[in-house]
Amino acid sequence: MATETVPARTLKEYKTEVHIDWCPGCGDFGILNALQMALWEMKIPQHEVVIFSGIGCSGKTPHFVNSYGIHTLHGRLVPYATGAKLANPHLKVIAVGGDGDGMGIGVGHFVSAGRRNVDITYIIYDNGVYGLTKGQASPTLPLGVKTKSLPFPNAQTNVNPLLLAFAAGYTFIARGYAYDTRQLKELMKQAIYHKGLSFLDVLQPCPTYNDINTKEWFAERVYYLDETEYQAEITPDDPPEVSQARIVQFIQKALEWGDRIPIGVFLKNTAVPSYEERIYSRVPTYYSLPPGTRPIADEEGKSLTDLSRLLQSLLVTGNST
Ligand code: SF4
Protein backbone atom coordinates (compact mmCIF):
# COMPACT_ATOMS: atom_id res chain seq x y z
CA MET A 1 0.00 0.00 0.00
CA ALA A 2 1.22 3.51 -0.76
CA THR A 3 1.97 5.85 2.12
CA GLU A 4 3.43 8.85 0.26
CA THR A 5 1.49 12.04 -0.16
CA VAL A 6 3.48 13.27 -3.18
CA PRO A 7 3.92 11.82 -6.67
CA ALA A 8 6.48 9.06 -6.97
CA ARG A 9 9.95 10.26 -7.95
CA THR A 10 10.77 7.30 -10.16
CA LEU A 11 8.86 4.84 -12.30
CA LYS A 12 10.23 2.08 -10.09
CA GLU A 13 8.11 3.35 -7.21
CA TYR A 14 4.97 2.26 -9.08
CA LYS A 15 6.29 -1.31 -9.13
CA THR A 16 6.03 -3.84 -6.29
CA GLU A 17 8.35 -6.59 -5.14
CA VAL A 18 5.69 -9.25 -5.75
CA HIS A 19 6.83 -12.02 -8.11
CA ILE A 20 5.02 -11.70 -11.45
CA ASP A 21 3.83 -15.19 -12.34
CA TRP A 22 2.35 -14.67 -15.81
CA CYS A 23 3.56 -17.02 -18.58
CA PRO A 24 6.65 -15.91 -20.52
CA GLY A 25 5.68 -13.73 -23.47
CA CYS A 26 2.18 -12.96 -22.15
CA GLY A 27 0.66 -9.68 -23.34
CA ASP A 28 -0.23 -8.89 -19.72
CA PHE A 29 3.35 -7.70 -19.20
CA GLY A 30 2.94 -5.00 -21.83
CA ILE A 31 -0.32 -3.80 -20.29
CA LEU A 32 1.18 -3.69 -16.81
CA ASN A 33 4.22 -1.76 -18.01
CA ALA A 34 2.05 0.70 -19.93
CA LEU A 35 -0.16 1.26 -16.88
CA GLN A 36 2.80 1.92 -14.59
CA MET A 37 4.34 4.30 -17.13
CA ALA A 38 1.04 6.14 -17.60
CA LEU A 39 0.59 6.68 -13.85
CA TRP A 40 4.18 7.79 -13.51
CA GLU A 41 3.99 10.25 -16.39
CA MET A 42 0.70 11.65 -15.12
CA LYS A 43 2.38 12.27 -11.74
CA ILE A 44 -0.56 10.90 -9.85
CA PRO A 45 0.36 10.34 -6.19
CA GLN A 46 0.17 6.65 -5.44
CA HIS A 47 -2.30 7.11 -2.58
CA GLU A 48 -4.76 8.69 -5.04
CA VAL A 49 -4.78 5.65 -7.36
CA VAL A 50 -7.06 2.67 -6.77
CA ILE A 51 -7.03 -0.36 -9.06
CA PHE A 52 -9.77 -2.99 -8.97
CA SER A 53 -9.52 -6.33 -10.73
CA GLY A 54 -11.72 -9.36 -11.24
CA ILE A 55 -10.78 -13.03 -11.58
CA GLY A 56 -8.40 -14.22 -14.28
CA CYS A 57 -4.76 -13.74 -15.19
CA SER A 58 -5.36 -9.97 -15.34
CA GLY A 59 -6.75 -10.10 -11.80
CA LYS A 60 -3.23 -10.06 -10.40
CA THR A 61 -2.54 -6.56 -11.73
CA PRO A 62 -3.25 -4.70 -8.44
CA HIS A 63 -0.63 -6.92 -6.76
CA PHE A 64 2.01 -5.59 -9.15
CA VAL A 65 1.23 -1.85 -9.01
CA ASN A 66 2.30 0.06 -5.93
CA SER A 67 -0.96 1.87 -5.26
CA TYR A 68 -4.18 1.02 -3.48
CA GLY A 69 -6.13 -1.82 -5.03
CA ILE A 70 -8.48 -4.73 -4.50
CA HIS A 71 -8.54 -8.11 -6.27
CA THR A 72 -12.31 -8.60 -6.28
CA LEU A 73 -14.71 -11.30 -7.48
CA HIS A 74 -15.41 -12.54 -10.99
CA GLY A 75 -17.04 -9.75 -13.00
CA ARG A 76 -17.61 -7.55 -9.93
CA LEU A 77 -14.77 -5.06 -10.37
CA VAL A 78 -17.02 -2.36 -11.81
CA PRO A 79 -19.37 -2.11 -8.79
CA TYR A 80 -16.31 -1.88 -6.53
CA ALA A 81 -14.74 0.80 -8.70
CA THR A 82 -18.00 2.73 -8.95
CA GLY A 83 -18.44 2.71 -5.18
CA ALA A 84 -14.89 3.90 -4.54
CA LYS A 85 -15.19 6.75 -7.01
CA LEU A 86 -18.53 7.94 -5.69
CA ALA A 87 -17.25 7.77 -2.11
CA ASN A 88 -14.25 9.91 -3.03
CA PRO A 89 -14.41 11.61 -6.46
CA HIS A 90 -10.84 12.88 -6.05
CA LEU A 91 -9.39 9.40 -6.57
CA LYS A 92 -8.20 8.02 -9.90
CA VAL A 93 -10.08 4.75 -10.16
CA ILE A 94 -9.10 2.07 -12.66
CA ALA A 95 -10.83 -1.27 -13.23
CA VAL A 96 -8.87 -4.02 -15.00
CA GLY A 97 -10.25 -7.37 -16.09
CA GLY A 98 -10.18 -10.03 -18.76
CA ASP A 99 -12.53 -10.38 -21.71
CA GLY A 100 -14.13 -13.40 -20.06
CA ASP A 101 -14.58 -11.43 -16.86
CA GLY A 102 -16.06 -8.28 -18.42
CA MET A 103 -17.91 -9.67 -21.45
CA GLY A 104 -19.08 -12.88 -19.72
CA ILE A 105 -20.10 -13.04 -16.09
CA GLY A 106 -19.59 -9.30 -15.60
CA VAL A 107 -21.38 -8.10 -18.71
CA GLY A 108 -24.41 -6.89 -16.75
CA HIS A 109 -22.17 -4.62 -14.69
CA PHE A 110 -20.33 -3.54 -17.86
CA VAL A 111 -23.60 -2.37 -19.41
CA SER A 112 -25.03 -0.79 -16.25
CA ALA A 113 -21.86 1.27 -15.79
CA GLY A 114 -22.37 2.87 -19.19
CA ARG A 115 -25.70 4.33 -18.14
CA ARG A 116 -24.10 6.16 -15.21
CA ASN A 117 -20.96 7.55 -16.83
CA VAL A 118 -19.00 7.50 -13.56
CA ASP A 119 -15.52 8.97 -14.05
CA ILE A 120 -13.55 5.71 -13.95
CA THR A 121 -11.43 3.83 -16.48
CA TYR A 122 -12.13 0.23 -17.44
CA ILE A 123 -9.33 -1.69 -19.18
CA ILE A 124 -10.05 -5.11 -20.64
CA TYR A 125 -7.20 -7.55 -21.35
CA ASP A 126 -8.68 -9.12 -24.47
CA ASN A 127 -7.11 -12.41 -25.59
CA GLY A 128 -10.14 -14.46 -26.69
CA VAL A 129 -9.70 -17.19 -24.07
CA TYR A 130 -10.16 -17.84 -20.36
CA GLY A 131 -6.41 -18.13 -19.73
CA LEU A 132 -6.51 -18.85 -15.99
CA THR A 133 -8.81 -21.86 -16.44
CA LYS A 134 -6.94 -23.50 -19.34
CA GLY A 135 -8.09 -21.64 -22.42
CA GLN A 136 -11.83 -22.09 -22.92
CA ALA A 137 -13.37 -19.83 -25.59
CA SER A 138 -14.19 -16.41 -24.16
CA PRO A 139 -16.99 -14.12 -25.42
CA THR A 140 -14.59 -12.28 -27.74
CA LEU A 141 -13.36 -15.35 -29.65
CA PRO A 142 -14.94 -15.29 -33.14
CA LEU A 143 -17.19 -18.06 -34.44
CA GLY A 144 -15.30 -20.95 -36.05
CA VAL A 145 -11.90 -20.18 -34.53
CA LYS A 146 -10.15 -23.18 -33.04
CA THR A 147 -7.34 -22.37 -30.66
CA LYS A 148 -5.06 -25.15 -29.48
CA SER A 149 -6.96 -25.24 -26.20
CA LEU A 150 -10.30 -26.13 -27.85
CA PRO A 151 -11.30 -29.63 -29.04
CA PHE A 152 -13.55 -28.13 -31.76
CA PRO A 153 -13.90 -24.72 -33.45
CA ASN A 154 -15.78 -22.14 -31.39
CA ALA A 155 -19.53 -22.66 -31.92
CA GLN A 156 -20.63 -19.24 -30.67
CA THR A 157 -20.49 -15.81 -32.24
CA ASN A 158 -18.44 -13.19 -30.48
CA VAL A 159 -19.24 -9.96 -28.66
CA ASN A 160 -17.79 -6.75 -30.07
CA PRO A 161 -16.61 -4.89 -26.92
CA LEU A 162 -16.40 -1.51 -28.65
CA LEU A 163 -19.95 -1.64 -29.97
CA LEU A 164 -21.27 -2.95 -26.67
CA ALA A 165 -19.55 -0.10 -24.84
CA PHE A 166 -21.11 2.40 -27.22
CA ALA A 167 -24.58 0.89 -26.86
CA ALA A 168 -24.23 0.99 -23.08
CA GLY A 169 -23.21 4.67 -23.03
CA TYR A 170 -19.45 4.74 -22.44
CA THR A 171 -18.19 8.20 -23.34
CA PHE A 172 -14.60 7.28 -24.21
CA ILE A 173 -13.91 4.14 -26.26
CA ALA A 174 -10.46 3.07 -27.43
CA ARG A 175 -8.53 -0.04 -28.45
CA GLY A 176 -4.84 -0.66 -27.88
CA TYR A 177 -2.31 -3.40 -28.47
CA ALA A 178 -0.36 -4.96 -25.60
CA TYR A 179 2.96 -5.22 -27.43
CA ASP A 180 3.06 -1.53 -28.31
CA THR A 181 3.47 -0.27 -24.78
CA ARG A 182 4.32 3.31 -25.72
CA GLN A 183 1.15 3.85 -27.71
CA LEU A 184 -0.83 1.91 -25.13
CA LYS A 185 0.50 4.15 -22.39
CA GLU A 186 -0.71 7.22 -24.30
CA LEU A 187 -4.16 5.67 -24.74
CA MET A 188 -4.29 4.93 -21.01
CA LYS A 189 -3.42 8.52 -20.18
CA GLN A 190 -6.17 9.80 -22.45
CA ALA A 191 -8.64 7.33 -20.94
CA ILE A 192 -7.73 8.33 -17.38
CA TYR A 193 -7.84 12.06 -18.20
CA HIS A 194 -11.29 11.70 -19.77
CA LYS A 195 -14.03 13.06 -17.49
CA GLY A 196 -16.51 10.22 -17.58
CA LEU A 197 -16.54 6.47 -18.10
CA SER A 198 -13.68 5.40 -20.35
CA PHE A 199 -13.19 1.99 -21.89
CA LEU A 200 -9.95 0.62 -23.29
CA ASP A 201 -10.02 -2.76 -25.03
CA VAL A 202 -6.45 -4.08 -25.22
CA LEU A 203 -5.66 -6.81 -27.74
CA GLN A 204 -3.41 -9.14 -25.85
CA PRO A 205 -1.82 -12.36 -27.14
CA CYS A 206 -2.07 -15.37 -24.82
CA PRO A 207 0.82 -17.50 -26.11
CA THR A 208 -0.09 -20.40 -23.83
CA TYR A 209 -3.64 -21.07 -25.03
CA ASN A 210 -4.38 -18.94 -28.10
CA ASP A 211 -2.13 -19.99 -31.00
CA ILE A 212 -4.29 -18.16 -33.56
CA ASN A 213 -4.18 -14.53 -32.40
CA THR A 214 -0.43 -14.48 -31.87
CA LYS A 215 1.87 -11.49 -31.85
CA GLU A 216 2.81 -12.29 -35.48
CA TRP A 217 -0.90 -12.43 -36.38
CA PHE A 218 -1.54 -9.06 -34.78
CA ALA A 219 1.65 -7.49 -36.15
CA GLU A 220 0.40 -8.02 -39.72
CA ARG A 221 -2.98 -6.49 -39.00
CA VAL A 222 -3.06 -3.72 -36.42
CA TYR A 223 -2.85 -0.15 -37.66
CA TYR A 224 -3.43 3.20 -35.99
CA LEU A 225 -6.43 5.33 -36.75
CA ASP A 226 -5.25 8.38 -38.66
CA GLU A 227 -6.25 11.30 -36.43
CA THR A 228 -6.08 13.72 -39.37
CA GLU A 229 -8.86 11.77 -41.08
CA TYR A 230 -10.73 10.10 -38.25
CA GLN A 231 -12.52 12.51 -35.89
CA ALA A 232 -13.32 10.74 -32.61
CA GLU A 233 -14.63 13.64 -30.54
CA ILE A 234 -18.23 14.68 -30.00
CA THR A 235 -18.59 17.96 -28.09
CA PRO A 236 -21.61 19.72 -26.55
CA ASP A 237 -21.41 22.33 -29.33
CA ASP A 238 -21.66 19.88 -32.21
CA PRO A 239 -24.90 20.05 -34.24
CA PRO A 240 -26.82 16.73 -34.42
CA GLU A 241 -25.69 15.96 -37.97
CA VAL A 242 -22.02 16.18 -36.93
CA SER A 243 -22.56 13.88 -33.93
CA GLN A 244 -24.43 11.42 -36.12
CA ALA A 245 -21.65 11.41 -38.72
CA ARG A 246 -19.09 10.68 -36.00
CA ILE A 247 -21.21 7.79 -34.71
CA VAL A 248 -21.60 6.27 -38.21
CA GLN A 249 -17.85 6.51 -38.67
CA PHE A 250 -17.30 4.95 -35.24
CA ILE A 251 -19.53 1.97 -36.05
CA GLN A 252 -17.75 1.38 -39.37
CA LYS A 253 -14.35 1.32 -37.68
CA ALA A 254 -15.54 -0.75 -34.71
CA LEU A 255 -16.77 -3.42 -37.15
CA GLU A 256 -13.47 -3.59 -39.01
CA TRP A 257 -11.76 -6.88 -38.13
CA GLY A 258 -9.77 -9.32 -40.23
CA ASP A 259 -6.92 -8.36 -42.52
CA ARG A 260 -6.82 -4.94 -40.91
CA ILE A 261 -7.58 -4.12 -37.28
CA PRO A 262 -7.71 -0.45 -36.24
CA ILE A 263 -6.42 0.72 -32.87
CA GLY A 264 -6.55 4.15 -31.24
CA VAL A 265 -9.30 6.37 -29.85
CA PHE A 266 -12.59 5.47 -31.52
CA LEU A 267 -14.96 7.79 -29.67
CA LYS A 268 -14.68 10.61 -27.16
CA ASN A 269 -17.96 12.18 -26.15
CA THR A 270 -17.66 15.23 -23.89
CA ALA A 271 -21.33 16.16 -24.22
CA VAL A 272 -22.56 13.83 -21.45
CA PRO A 273 -22.22 14.92 -17.78
CA SER A 274 -20.52 12.49 -15.45
CA TYR A 275 -22.49 10.83 -12.65
CA GLU A 276 -20.51 12.84 -10.11
CA GLU A 277 -21.56 16.08 -11.80
CA ARG A 278 -25.17 14.94 -11.58
CA ILE A 279 -24.73 14.28 -7.85
CA TYR A 280 -23.03 17.65 -7.38
CA SER A 281 -25.98 19.43 -8.98
CA ARG A 282 -28.12 18.04 -6.14
CA VAL A 283 -25.55 17.97 -3.30
CA PRO A 284 -23.40 21.16 -3.32
CA THR A 285 -20.95 19.76 -0.71
CA TYR A 286 -20.23 16.63 -2.76
CA TYR A 287 -16.75 17.62 -4.01
CA SER A 288 -15.69 19.61 -0.93
CA LEU A 289 -16.82 16.95 1.54
CA PRO A 290 -17.34 13.64 -0.27
CA PRO A 291 -18.81 10.73 1.71
CA GLY A 292 -15.56 8.76 1.88
CA THR A 293 -13.63 11.59 3.57
CA ARG A 294 -16.13 12.57 6.24
CA PRO A 295 -15.13 11.90 9.85
CA ILE A 296 -17.16 9.08 11.34
CA ALA A 297 -15.86 9.19 14.95
CA ASP A 298 -14.49 11.71 17.45
CA GLU A 299 -11.02 11.57 19.03
CA GLU A 300 -12.21 9.01 21.53
CA GLY A 301 -13.61 6.77 18.82
CA LYS A 302 -17.20 7.67 19.60
CA SER A 303 -19.46 7.62 16.55
CA LEU A 304 -20.42 11.02 15.18
CA THR A 305 -23.49 9.60 13.51
CA ASP A 306 -26.66 10.63 15.27
CA LEU A 307 -29.30 7.96 14.78
CA SER A 308 -31.68 9.32 17.42
CA ARG A 309 -34.11 10.90 14.92
CA LEU A 310 -34.19 7.74 12.83
CA LEU A 311 -34.75 5.55 15.89
CA GLN A 312 -37.42 7.94 17.12
CA SER A 313 -39.25 7.61 13.82
CA LEU A 314 -39.24 3.82 14.19
CA LEU A 315 -40.50 3.85 17.76
CA VAL A 316 -43.60 1.68 18.18
CA THR A 317 -46.15 3.36 20.39
CA GLY A 318 -49.49 2.29 21.81
CA ASN A 319 -50.78 -1.06 23.02
CA SER A 320 -49.22 -3.95 21.08
CA THR A 321 -51.43 -6.68 22.59
FE1 SF4 B 1 -0.96 -14.78 -20.10
FE2 SF4 B 1 -2.37 -16.72 -21.25
FE3 SF4 B 1 -0.49 -17.31 -19.44
FE4 SF4 B 1 -2.75 -16.11 -18.68
S1 SF4 B 1 -2.57 -18.19 -19.57
S2 SF4 B 1 -0.68 -15.58 -18.01
S3 SF4 B 1 -3.20 -14.79 -20.42
S4 SF4 B 1 -0.17 -16.39 -21.46
Side-chain angles (χ1 to χ4, degrees), residues 79-97:
Y80 274 82
T82 300
K85 184 68 182 183
L86 295 183
N88 186 351
H90 304 303
L91 296 173
K92 293 291 181 200
V93 178
I94 301 166
V96 299

Side-chain angles (χ1 to χ4, degrees), residues 22-23 26-28 57 127 131-132 204-209:
W22 289 322
C23 308
C26 176
D28 287 4
C57 301
N127 56 24
L132 193 68
Q204 176 241 320
C206 168
T208 301
Y209 293 114

Side-chain angles (χ1 to χ4, degrees), residues 17 20 93 116 121 128 165 184 195 215 224 229 274 284 313 320:
E17 300 295 319
I20 300 178
V93 178
R116 302 189 186 100
T121 296
L184 184 57
K195 203 167 179 49
K215 82 175 176 184
Y224 297 104
E229 294 177 1
S274 70
S313 71
S320 61

Side-chain angles (χ1 to χ4, degrees), residues 29-39 181 184-185 188:
F29 288 100
I31 302 174
L32 175 65
N33 287 337
L35 180 58
Q36 290 165 331
M37 283 195 290
L39 295 173
T181 52
L184 184 57
K185 169 201 65 174
M188 287 180 178

Side-chain angles (χ1 to χ4, degrees), residues 35 39 42 44-53 67-70 72 76-96 118-123 188 191-194 196-199 276 286:
L35 180 58
L39 295 173
M42 293 174 77
I44 307 172
Q46 290 155 285
H47 72 285
E48 292 179 8
V49 178
V50 197
I51 300 174
F52 295 93
S53 66
S67 69
Y68 287 109
I70 297 180
T72 76
R76 310 304 201 279
L77 57 164
V78 173
Y80 274 82
T82 300
K85 184 68 182 183
L86 295 183
N88 186 351
H90 304 303
L91 296 173
K92 293 291 181 200
V93 178
I94 301 166
V96 299
V118 175
D119 183 18
I120 61 177
T121 296
Y122 189 178
I123 301 171
M188 287 180 178
I192 295 169
Y193 277 130
H194 175 70
L197 181 59
S198 52
F199 173 57
E276 297 89 308
Y286 180 55

Side-chain angles (χ1 to χ4, degrees), residues 6-273:
V6 295
R9 286 152 301 192
T10 65
L11 173 61
K12 202 174 165 195
E13 290 178 50
Y14 279 99
K15 301 176 186 286
T16 66
E17 300 295 319
V18 178
H19 171 65
I20 300 178
D21 51 0
W22 289 322
C23 308
C26 176
D28 287 4
F29 288 100
I31 302 174
L32 175 65
N33 287 337
L35 180 58
Q36 290 165 331
M37 283 195 290
L39 295 173
W40 153 243
E41 290 188 6
M42 293 174 77
K43 300 286 179 233
I44 307 172
Q46 290 155 285
H47 72 285
E48 292 179 8
V49 178
V50 197
I51 300 174
F52 295 93
S53 66
I55 300 300
C57 301
S58 61
K60 297 170 187 169
T61 303
H63 302 255
F64 307 144
V65 181
N66 191 20
S67 69
Y68 287 109
I70 297 180
H71 189 161
T72 76
L73 303 173
H74 216 172
R76 310 304 201 279
L77 57 164
V78 173
Y80 274 82
T82 300
K85 184 68 182 183
L86 295 183
N88 186 351
H90 304 303
L91 296 173
K92 293 291 181 200
V93 178
I94 301 166
V96 299
D99 42 317
D101 195 72
M103 298 288 108
I105 194 170
V107 73
H109 294 303
F110 182 89
V111 170
S112 296
R115 296 174 51 224
R116 302 189 186 100
N117 196 32
V118 175
D119 183 18
I120 61 177
T121 296
Y122 189 178
I123 301 171
I124 280 193
Y125 297 32
D126 187 352
N127 56 24
V129 293
Y130 287 89
L132 193 68
T133 51
K134 308 291 183 235
Q136 299 89 343
S138 90
T140 60
L141 191 72
L143 175 69
V145 172
K146 183 189 173 310
T147 60
K148 65 181 175 184
S149 55
L150 298 178
F152 302 103
N154 185 22
Q156 302 182 76
T157 55
N158 60 305
V159 172
N160 184 317
L162 304 184
L163 291 176
L164 186 60
F166 172 73
Y170 285 63
T171 50
F172 180 100
I173 301 172
R175 181 195 279 145
Y177 178 46
Y179 286 2
D180 186 347
T181 52
R182 292 198 179 279
Q183 200 260 0
L184 184 57
K185 169 201 65 174
E186 295 303 324
L187 288 175
M188 287 180 178
K189 285 161 65 176
Q190 290 187 60
I192 295 169
Y193 277 130
H194 175 70
K195 203 167 179 49
L197 181 59
S198 52
F199 173 57
L200 179 54
D201 183 37
V202 185
L203 304 176
Q204 176 241 320
C206 168
T208 301
Y209 293 114
N210 188 337
D211 58 334
I212 304 299
N213 308 121
T214 61
K215 82 175 176 184
E216 292 77 18
W217 189 91
F218 280 119
E220 289 175 1
R221 290 166 173 80
V222 293
Y223 75 95
Y224 297 104
L225 289 170
D226 184 345
E227 292 175 11
T228 60
E229 294 177 1
Y230 185 89
Q231 301 292 320
E233 188 160 358
I234 296 174
T235 74
D237 302 325
D238 288 334
E241 59 272 20
V242 171
S243 305
Q244 286 163 12
R246 300 261 196 278
I247 291 169
V248 169
Q249 174 196 238
F250 161 78
I251 292 171
Q252 287 170 343
K253 282 296 171 191
L255 284 170
E256 190 175 339
W257 185 271
D259 292 341
R260 282 167 61 77
I261 300 174
I263 54 178
V265 178
F266 284 65
L267 193 73
K268 181 179 178 180
N269 187 345
T270 57
V272 182

